[in-house]
Amino acid sequence: MNVGLVMAFAAQASLDVVTLARGAEALGFDSLWLPEHAAIPVTVATPLPSGTASLDGYKHVPDPFVGLAAAAGATTTLKLGTAVCLVPQRHPIVTAKEVATLDLVSGGRFHFGIGAGWLREESALLGVDFPRRWAQTREYVLAMKALWTEEPASFQGRYVSFPPLWSYPKPVQKPHPPILIGGMRDQAFERVADYGDGWLPLNTGTATTRDIETGRKRIEALFRERGRDPSRLDVTLFGFRAERDEMRRWFDAGATRILYVLRPEAPAAALERIEKLAALL
């Protein structure tokens, strides 16, 4: 069973990412994933996501690419991913280089989990066209694909354009690291089939195995319509309870990987928690 860990938030007194990565690899976990929030405004009117009591944890999220690069240097087989990178908040030329560099230094172990962001005030700080943030995300991803695969690369779009240019390194994985797209609605299925390689559904406590089974079948059908191989679809479920029977139900429903979310706690307690989770495997 492919089970990964998400270091959801961080605090100065919590377990550091390098120790977590080494522990995760030694215990047999499949992967380690980091989220992204660049800045949290003091005043926020956007409703909080389901299951979120406050924004306190979001204030302490480190940069995922720096954290994952440190984890890459401390491990040899552990896969590394973003869950999720907020693509429209970043310039695609810079992000493409960071993704490719991380894939290079990790020896091709990076998975690019992406989203468009839910916090309007954070998006406004970073110049996101919030009502059309998924259209902006799509364009940025297409621009990055050009940068990863073309020599030289160029792109013309509504949100980003650049003349022929050199962008190196190229990713180790060809044509690029897997792109996993977050979301639970029908639009997410279309996005995965259009410009993604996998689906990253979020389980906040309301998702069911039927949701995963139905979503996977829908994406596979869309893959076939586009002449893509549905057997290559990656379904990585973000969030589950640490129960073996529940894990089995998610895999039986079509998940290829499930991710356990770690909350901030003292290093010794965090290591004890992942040891207990590993025992369930």
Side-chain angles (χ1 to χ4, degrees):
M1 295 188 290
N2 292 325
V3 178
L5 301 173
V6 180
M7 190 176 182
F9 307 118
Q12 290 190 0
S14 62
L15 187 64
D16 68 277
V17 68
V18 169
T19 302
L20 175 59
R22 286 174 174 157
E25 183 172 73
L27 289 167
F29 286 96
D30 160 78
S31 52
L32 174 64
W33 305 67
L34 298 183
E36 177 175 45
H37 281 283
I40 303 299
V42 172
T43 302
V44 169
T46 302
L48 300 183
S50 174
T52 302
S54 75
L55 285 171
D56 287 345
Y58 292 88
K59 301 173 186 176
H60 300 283
V61 173
D63 181 272
F65 290 98
V66 175
L68 292 172
T75 58
T76 57
T77 61
L78 191 72
K79 295 181 176 63
L80 308 162
T82 46
V84 293
C85 175
L86 301 177
V87 167
Q89 295 184 7
R90 296 168 149 268
H91 197 288
I93 293 178
V94 176
T95 308
K97 182 175 284 287
E98 290 189 336
V99 168
T101 302
L102 180 53
D103 199 51
L104 176 65
V105 301
S106 68
R109 290 185 277 149
F110 180 59
H111 283 54
F112 193 27
I114 69 169
W118 61 269
L119 185 54
R120 181 184 291 269
E121 291 83 358
E122 180 185 23
S123 296
L125 293 173
L126 298 163
V128 177
D129 183 0
F130 193 77
R132 289 165 286 277
R133 60 194 183 279
W134 275 109
Q136 189 173 359
T137 298
R138 179 183 185 274
E139 187 173 295
Y140 278 15
V141 170
L142 296 180
M144 287 189 280
K145 286 186 176 184
L147 291 161
W148 292 327
T149 60
E150 298 177 9
E151 301 183 76
S154 62
F155 190 85
Q156 297 296 317
R158 174 180 177 181
Y159 296 101
V160 61
S161 297
F162 47 85
L165 57 80
W166 304 110
S167 180
Y168 295 100
K170 301 300 183 186
V172 171
Q173 299 176 83
K174 301 302 179 186
H176 50 72
I179 298 170
L180 282 68
I181 300 176
M184 289 294 291
R185 297 186 176 92
D186 291 345
Q187 298 96 316
F189 308 153
E190 297 284 347
R191 292 171 189 139
V192 173
D194 180 20
Y195 58 92
D197 303 293
W199 180 32
L200 190 60
L202 175 62
N203 178 20
T204 59
T206 59
T208 66
T209 54
R210 180 65 180 272
D211 294 330
I212 301 305
E213 183 177 7
T214 301
R216 181 176 188 112
K217 288 181 178 178
R218 177 59 182 151
I219 298 170
E220 288 177 342
L222 291 169
F223 268 40
R224 285 190 287 269
E225 289 175 8
R226 289 164 170 78
R228 303 184 62 186
D229 182 0
S231 69
R232 298 179 64 84
L233 175 64
D234 183 329
V235 177
T236 293
L237 176 71
F238 186 121
F240 69 98
R241 292 189 300 272
E243 299 173 3
R244 187 175 179 85
D245 288 345
E246 180 180 346
M247 288 191 286
R248 173 54 60 194
R249 287 194 293 270
W250 290 119
F251 285 120
D252 289 344
T256 52
R257 177 184 298 107
I258 54 177
L259 305 179
Y260 182 78
V261 181
L262 294 169
R263 305 292 178 178
E265 56 185 344
L271 289 173
E272 182 180 0
R273 185 175 302 278
I274 66 171
E275 288 170 359
K276 289 180 178 178
L277 180 60
L280 293 175
L281 304 181

